[in-house]
Amino acid sequence: MAKMIYEGKAKQIFLTPNEDELLVYFKDDATAFNGLKKGTIVNKGELNNKISSFFFNLLNENNIPNHFIKQVDDRSMLVKTLKIIPVEVVVRNIAAGSLAKRLGWEEGRELPTPVIELYYKDDDLGDPIINYYHINVLNIATKQQIAQMEEYALKINTVLKDFLKDKNVDLVDFKLEFGTHKGEVILGDEISPDTCRFWDSATKEKLDKDRFRRDLGNVEDAYKEILNRLTV
Ligand code: UDP
């Protein structure tokens, strides 16, 4: 049995015989509001592994550096070992969630240009929003690394948004995590309905974790619908 080196809210990370590679196992556990709400979503692990693998393949086709090597089985993928940079990058196209609150804009209002936000990845602090000055004082990333992360984030937004448009899905917003591998900044973590807001373009029905956060029901069906739209 491979050694587990990390267990997060939604994933477990295992060592492999190759120190440059790790195995990511996707769990069915779901949390929201910084862990205050807990539950499970049936088959979420399998769905998020398949959805993330699909998106990482799409990014590879578009030459956007990321940690994905290959999907191994229904619930796991092989990735490059990363030193995670504890800065979450959120990209938004449509006002929702905390941005709707911050700006006083109604949910669903389109933003004239994409908005990038940076958050300090720290559970004890509840992932507060931060800026370059905070990052400099915390000494968690260089200015060049943040610029690189923002450049990739905007490219990823364009690739995902354009792809999803053809599938009748609005990409409302999403969260990315980056790390360094052999000194280079590359994308890590996952791209799934846990970390993105997806709305049906016609009905604006939510097809993401907001169904769990807001007790809207049919959570598994929404994740399944996203996988179906990507793959058919
Ligand atoms: N998000 C995430 N993890 C977090 C916080 C946010 O994946 O810890 C994602 C979330 O799914 C959404 C986007 O980032 O797609 C923006 O989230 P927002 O700040 O609106 O968060 P909320 O307060 O609604 O959770």
Side-chain angles (χ1 to χ4, degrees):
M1 186 62 192
K3 184 172 186 254
M4 184 166 76
I5 54 162
Y6 175 78
E7 176 154 24
K9 294 168 209 149
K11 299 187 286 293
Q12 295 172 334
I13 313 284
F14 295 90
L15 291 178
T16 71
N18 180 342
E19 66 174 30
D20 288 333
E21 299 176 357
L22 296 171
L23 192 81
V24 179
Y25 175 88
F26 287 76
K27 304 191 288 181
D28 287 346
D29 298 345
T31 61
F33 312 118
N34 199 27
L36 281 180
K37 183 181 170 105
K38 287 195 177 73
T40 56
I41 299 170
V42 178
N43 292 324
K44 176 169 85 80
E46 181 173 340
L47 292 162
N48 278 358
N49 183 42
K50 291 179 176 174
I51 294 166
S52 285
S53 294
F54 183 91
F55 282 131
F56 282 128
N57 276 318
L58 184 67
L59 296 186
N60 280 336
E61 285 165 22
N62 285 276
N63 301 313
I64 297 170
N66 65 78
H67 70 159
F68 182 75
I69 300 171
K70 64 175 184 183
Q71 191 187 322
V72 172
D73 58 30
D74 280 352
R75 281 178 179 266
S76 47
M77 61 168 69
L78 194 66
V79 302
K80 295 176 189 168
T81 305
L82 283 193
K83 199 166 170 287
I84 284 286
I85 296 168
V87 175
E88 299 186 348
V89 181
V90 168
V91 183
R92 304 174 180 273
N93 300 302
I94 296 170
S98 66
L99 182 81
K101 274 201 195 130
R102 189 180 306 283
L103 300 187
W105 284 27
E106 78 277 14
E107 213 168 63
R109 182 162 163 193
E110 203 167 321
L111 303 169
T113 57
V115 167
I116 293 186
E117 293 170 347
L118 306 175
Y119 292 85
Y120 183 25
K121 187 175 158 62
D122 186 311
D123 281 342
D124 292 340
L125 298 178
D127 297 349
I129 196 163
I130 51 173
N131 63 28
Y132 300 114
Y133 293 90
H134 301 125
I135 290 169
N136 191 36
V137 166
L138 289 167
N139 195 24
I140 48 178
T142 67
K143 204 162 187 173
Q144 289 81 358
Q145 286 175 327
I146 296 296
Q148 180 68 267
M149 288 156 64
E150 292 186 342
E151 186 192 319
Y152 287 149
L154 290 176
K155 273 193 193 150
I156 292 165
N157 185 42
T158 303
V159 169
L160 298 186
K161 199 169 62 164
D162 291 352
F163 180 86
L164 288 165
K165 195 168 179 222
D166 287 343
K167 309 287 180 186
N168 286 313
V169 174
D170 291 346
L171 179 61
V172 175
D173 55 33
F174 57 98
K175 183 263 300 180
L176 302 171
E177 293 183 26
F178 293 85
T180 54
H181 178 80
K182 300 185 173 165
E184 296 295 313
V185 171
I186 67 173
L187 178 69
D189 197 38
E190 64 178 283
I191 304 174
S192 74
D194 272 10
T195 61
C196 305
R197 284 196 171 94
F198 299 124
W199 293 354
D200 179 275
S201 301
T203 65
K204 307 299 172 190
E205 187 191 1
K206 296 184 198 318
L207 299 171
D208 56 55
K209 196 168 146 186
D210 272 348
R211 300 204 73 83
F212 170 78
R213 293 188 189 101
R214 303 178 190 188
D215 294 320
L216 300 174
N218 298 330
V219 189
E220 185 194 353
D221 289 345
Y223 283 55
K224 262 193 207 149
E225 178 64 22
I226 289 296
L227 181 62
N228 282 343
R229 291 205 197 178
L230 297 181
T231 51
V232 295

